[in-house]
Amino acid sequence: MSLDRSRRPEAGAAEVPGPGERWGAADEVRPSGAPLTDFDPDSAPALSLGGATHYPGPAGARPLDDDAYARLVANRAEAIAPILDAAGPAAQAGPAGTAAPGAPGFCPALGPGLIVALDVDGTILDRDGRVSDRVHAALSRLDAAGARIVVSTGRSVSASLPVARHIGVRHGWMVCANGALTLRLDPGLERGHEVVDSVTFDPAHVISTLRRAIPEGIFAVEVPDEGFLVTRLFPDGELIEDQRVVSYEEIVSRPVNRVVLRAPAMSLEEFSGLVRSTGSSTVEEYSIGWTSWLDVAPEGVSKATALAGLAARLGTDASQVVAVGDGTNDIEMLRWAGLGVAMGSAPDSVKASADIITESVWHDGCAAVLDALVDLLTT
């Protein structure tokens, strides 16, 4: 979902485990200072990456020190190794950079056949809208090894492009709007990108049904490369995209990639109950975050369906895909990928859908998994 609003806060304290020891759940991690970054949003407002500052997080969290991070990488390598072993050596029999036909499980090889699909908010981007030095370094290692890094997000195109550019993905692919939009990135194109796949639906029935249930809600639809059409402005900081207030009649007048419903004054419990009372067939594919925010996608569309189409286009398959995420909109992606990784701050339903769980974004959990994977595949 846009800006991935399904995060949970961290609290408490725990010792950092050594290799082979169980890494604690997110609520056992010790928060401790400001994130590493080479990007200062205050000094470059035109390149604001956003960040979900409206959801609770560990105030003053710091990254792990170098020794603790090294132990985390070793711990994640120990978690991944059995998954690689289970695939067996036959799984590596395909040409370099491609998956062996019909290969089971997770059987990656460094090269262009390996797809690394990364959620944005809460996965590579922290609550302050920053990407840590360790994430940058891990992505650079993967890029040098020839892997394809794919930003896979609920964000709109306009909110995703600055993130892709910031992490160095200027040539390649991006999945936006929870899978409804797939883009090819190339600086040589007029806008630096082109939409190669777009799935839309008629929003009229969905919006009219939800409007009867939650008349005070704010409705929005995404218009690629333009931002959002909204029935009224969202609370400050919740959308970094442009917003244009339009009438209800205009917002239901054309096919869209996504519908967003926000009810700022309503509790999550009440909001969820009202949405579910309308019936799942009414709201197509939907996800609700930790706050009263609803994303509605075209029926049958998810990050997983978009990535499956992209993998086929690139001549690879799920056995060569690692996916990392933390939101309920990542569940299908984590289940589909050869290696699905849930962030430590993810809800239990997301963790249950993953092959392994890593640390939170505040402790470079995504970077640790990527570093561990490269280490395993190069030894």
Side-chain angles (χ1 to χ4, degrees):
M1 60 201 77
S2 181
L3 296 183
D4 292 351
R5 291 163 167 79
S6 55
R7 263 39 116 243
R8 291 184 179 176
E10 298 177 11
E15 294 300 319
V16 176
E21 297 176 359
R22 182 180 179 275
W23 198 266
D27 59 2
E28 298 171 342
V29 175
R30 183 180 64 254
S32 60
L36 290 171
T37 181
D38 64 356
F39 175 76
D40 180 358
D42 294 333
S43 67
L47 189 61
S48 173
L49 301 184
T53 56
H54 50 278
Y55 73 82
R62 296 181 60 176
L64 301 173
D65 63 34
D66 288 344
D67 288 342
Y69 180 72
R71 290 196 293 272
L72 175 59
V73 173
N75 183 277
R76 296 304 82 206
E78 289 192 355
I80 296 170
I83 300 173
L84 292 173
D85 292 342
Q92 305 289 344
T98 65
F106 182 52
C107 35
L110 290 176
L114 176 61
I115 293 176
V116 180
L118 303 175
D119 172 52
V120 173
D121 298 280
T123 299
I124 61 171
L125 198 71
D126 69 19
R127 64 177 297 189
D128 297 317
R130 303 185 181 196
V131 179
S132 79
D133 291 342
R134 285 175 178 145
V135 170
H136 277 295
L139 294 178
S140 293
R141 290 183 73 194
L142 282 166
D143 182 64
R148 300 179 191 268
I149 299 164
V150 179
V151 172
S152 183
T153 178
R155 285 184 172 216
S156 68
V157 173
S158 58
S160 304
L161 284 170
V163 177
R165 292 166 183 154
H166 182 58
I167 64 173
V169 181
R170 295 176 179 269
H171 291 85
W173 307 87
M174 186 165 69
V175 169
C176 299
N178 291 322
L181 290 163
T182 301
L183 282 73
R184 183 174 73 89
L185 307 179
D186 184 342
L189 297 171
E190 182 178 357
R191 301 178 66 94
H193 66 275
E194 65 177 349
V195 176
V196 297
D197 190 23
S198 175
V199 185
T200 62
F201 68 107
D202 182 346
H205 178 63
V206 168
I207 291 178
S208 64
T209 301
L210 292 171
R211 191 185 187 198
R212 287 194 296 271
I214 308 175
E216 66 271 42
I218 307 171
F219 288 93
V221 296
E222 181 178 348
V223 180
D225 296 323
E226 294 182 29
F228 282 95
L229 305 181
V230 300
T231 53
R232 68 177 191 272
L233 295 178
F234 276 56
D236 289 346
E238 291 199 353
L239 288 177
I240 66 174
E241 302 90 342
D242 291 336
Q243 301 176 60
R244 181 163 66 89
V245 178
V246 300
S247 67
Y248 171 79
E249 288 72 25
E250 183 173 352
I251 214 165
V252 299
S253 66
R254 56 173 149 173
V256 300
N257 300 108
R258 172 173 55 161
V259 169
V260 177
L261 169 61
R262 177 76 169 100
M266 188 175 291
S267 71
L268 174 58
E269 182 178 9
E270 181 183 5
F271 179 79
S272 300
L274 288 172
V275 168
R276 293 185 173 116
S277 71
T278 65
S280 58
S281 61
T282 299
V283 294
E284 313 290 337
E285 302 293 331
Y286 71 94
S287 52
I288 300 173
W290 75 272
T291 189
S292 52
W293 175 291
L294 170 77
D295 267 358
V296 183
E299 185 174 8
V301 170
S302 68
K303 293 182 182 182
T305 60
L307 288 168
L310 177 58
R313 179 190 290 266
L314 298 176
T316 185
D317 60 24
S319 69
Q320 286 266 316
V321 178
V322 54
V324 190
D326 75 316
T328 55
N329 60 331
D330 295 313
I331 287 175
E332 292 86 353
M333 175 177 76
L334 300 185
R335 289 174 175 167
W336 172 81
L339 179 67
V341 182
M343 300 296 288
S345 51
D348 289 343
S349 60
V350 179
K351 293 177 180 177
S353 302
D355 298 296
I356 65 171
I357 301 167
T358 190
E359 261 291 355
S360 70
V361 67
W362 303 287
H363 293 90
D364 290 311
C366 178
V369 165
L370 302 182
D371 278 336
L373 181 61
V374 174
D375 289 347
L376 287 167
L377 296 180
T378 54
T379 55

